[in-house]
Amino acid sequence: MKIAAKKNGFTLIELLVVISIIGLLSTVALASLNGVRKKARDATRKSDLRQLKLALVEYYEDHGQYATEGSCDSSQGTCVACPCGESDWDYAVTYQVGNVLRSHGYFQNLPKDPINSSIYYYMYEPDCNQGVCSNPNRGCCRYALQARLESGGYFTLYSENNW
């Protein structure tokens, strides 16, 4: 009488079921991580704008005006958001906010949006005597900082003299 040999291992069906379950669980985990990553980038955007605001307040207290803007008031210097290659975050152009804050020691390098694309970028918009500042010779008297959030909407900070 022959005794049947006992087989060790899994069948192909069992392996496919286990692989399918692992794939489904990893897909769910990655989808939930994307939401967490978006929230983290939004938190970084808000923190960066608050730091910029503090630097601009210090600059205003030291100089009596805010930094001016160049031809492009964003951290994204591309042909989409700005004239080609220009950005206020450019440290080579003396009148732009990047150079002003860096040369006076308020920032080593201005923060940029975590994605910094034509959709997600930081915006600096000063009001330099467009009919609102009391003394036209004083320079910029107020500003707005803004970033688009991945969770929807915008995060905007204004100078003390709001728009």
Side-chain angles (χ1 to χ4, degrees), residues 45-111:
R45 289 176 178 101
K46 291 176 182 180
S47 174
D48 286 349
L49 290 189
R50 288 184 182 112
Q51 289 177 1
L52 281 167
K53 181 175 180 165
L54 289 175
L56 287 165
V57 167
E58 288 181 38
Y59 181 84
Y60 186 84
E61 289 173 358
D62 293 344
H63 299 91
Q65 66 181 10
Y66 294 110
T68 62
E69 68 178 334
S71 57
C72 177
D73 54 6
S74 78
S75 61
Q76 180 62 25
T78 66
C79 296
V80 175
C82 313
C84 293
E86 297 183 16
S87 168
D88 281 345
W89 266 236
D90 186 356
Y91 304 122
V93 182
T94 56
Y95 58 85
Q96 293 180 344
V97 69
N99 182 289
V100 168
L101 293 179
R102 186 178 188 193
S103 66
H104 288 87
Y106 300 105
F107 270 101
Q108 179 62 31
N109 291 309
L110 263 65

Side-chain angles (χ1 to χ4, degrees), residues 88-163:
D88 281 345
W89 266 236
D90 186 356
Y91 304 122
V93 182
T94 56
Y95 58 85
Q96 293 180 344
V97 69
N99 182 289
V100 168
L101 293 179
R102 186 178 188 193
S103 66
H104 288 87
Y106 300 105
F107 270 101
Q108 179 62 31
N109 291 309
L110 263 65
K112 291 186 177 183
D113 185 274
I115 295 176
N116 205 40
S117 68
S118 61
I119 297 172
Y120 296 103
Y121 56 89
Y122 296 155
M123 185 272 303
Y124 171 69
E125 184 64 41
D127 180 0
C128 301
N129 302 316
Q130 287 127 5
V132 181
C133 299
S134 59
N135 184 349
N137 299 320
R138 285 290 300 267
C140 301
C141 65
R142 61 186 189 170
Y143 67 86
L145 289 167
Q146 189 174 69
R148 181 187 299 228
L149 301 177
E150 290 179 70
S151 59
Y154 291 87
F155 179 73
T156 307
L157 294 176
Y158 297 99
S159 58
E160 302 310 312
N161 347 344
N162 287 344
W163 292 77

Side-chain angles (χ1 to χ4, degrees), residues 9-77:
F10 299 103
T11 66
L12 182 59
I13 302 275
E14 291 170 331
L15 287 173
L16 288 174
V17 167
V18 169
I19 290 171
S20 298
I21 291 171
I22 290 172
L24 180 65
L25 290 175
S26 63
T27 302
V28 169
L30 286 176
S32 66
L33 281 179
N34 282 338
V36 171
R37 288 183 187 141
K38 287 179 182 180
K39 287 180 184 178
R41 286 191 295 264
D42 283 348
T44 299
R45 289 176 178 101
K46 291 176 182 180
S47 174
D48 286 349
L49 290 189
R50 288 184 182 112
Q51 289 177 1
L52 281 167
K53 181 175 180 165
L54 289 175
L56 287 165
V57 167
E58 288 181 38
Y59 181 84
Y60 186 84
E61 289 173 358
D62 293 344
H63 299 91
Q65 66 181 10
Y66 294 110
T68 62
E69 68 178 334
S71 57
C72 177
D73 54 6
S74 78
S75 61
Q76 180 62 25

